[in-house]
């Protein structure tokens, strides 16, 4: 069905970083763990260290998975922009190049209790 507009449509993005009071959105997904249907959406300050992100909200969010407590974060394989990536846990998200609405992914080889066969 065709739509005829009576005036020019101007979309205004409401999820711009300027609208988050100095914080940003970061998506994080755990590859091959199907208990979580979509990436986690984290609200974090760019100055937060990567360690704080992992040991705080990310660790709490993965706990419902039977493998959650077994994650050795030092052995996790990380991806950013679908490329292998090694974050510096003691540097900030900004220093690690993690910006507003970026997605980071992580893999935990050997932890597959709920992975698809």
């Amino acid at each position: 069905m065709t739509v005829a507009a009576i005036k020019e449509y101007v979309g205004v993005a409401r999820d711009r970083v300027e609208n988050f009071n100095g914080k940003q959105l970061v998506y994080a997904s755990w590859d091959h763990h199907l208990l979580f249907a979509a990436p986690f959406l984290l609200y974090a300050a760019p100055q937060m260290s990567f360690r704080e992100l992992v040991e705080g909200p990310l660790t709490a969010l993965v706990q419902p998975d039977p493998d959650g407590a077994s994650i050795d974060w030092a052995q996790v394989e990380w991806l950013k922009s679908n490329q292998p990536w090694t974050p510096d846990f003691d540097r900030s998200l900004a220093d690690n190049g993690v910006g507003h609405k970026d997605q980071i992914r992580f893999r935990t080889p050997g932890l597959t209790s709920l992975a698809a066969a």
Side-chain angles (χ1 to χ4, degrees):
M1 179 174 170
T2 311
V3 175
I6 58 172
K7 63 181 183 176
E8 181 182 352
Y9 174 77
V10 179
V12 178
R14 303 282 184 208
D15 61 353
R16 296 185 323 240
V17 71
E18 297 83 17
N19 295 337
F20 288 91
N21 301 314
K23 295 195 177 179
Q24 63 185 19
L25 301 177
V26 177
Y27 296 92
S29 59
W30 189 1
D31 285 3
H32 310 295
H33 279 74
L34 303 178
L35 181 65
F36 309 109
F40 301 114
L41 178 58
L42 307 168
Y43 180 65
Q47 300 81 17
M48 174 185 272
S49 74
F50 196 79
R51 181 177 313 284
E52 290 172 310
L53 184 80
V54 168
E55 292 178 355
L58 197 52
T59 295
L61 288 166
V62 300
Q63 289 311 302
D65 189 288
D67 291 330
S70 300
I71 297 174
D72 178 357
W73 292 104
Q75 299 301 315
V76 166
E77 298 172 358
W78 295 95
L79 293 103
K80 187 166 81 73
S81 302
N82 292 322
Q83 298 297 317
W85 172 62
T86 304
D88 183 334
F89 277 66
D90 296 317
R91 305 229 19 198
S92 71
L93 296 176
D95 290 342
N96 273 294
V98 178
H100 182 60
K101 294 174 49 179
D102 279 350
Q103 180 178 12
I104 55 176
R105 295 174 30 216
F106 60 99
R107 296 179 180 155
T108 52
L111 299 180
T112 58
S113 64
L114 291 179

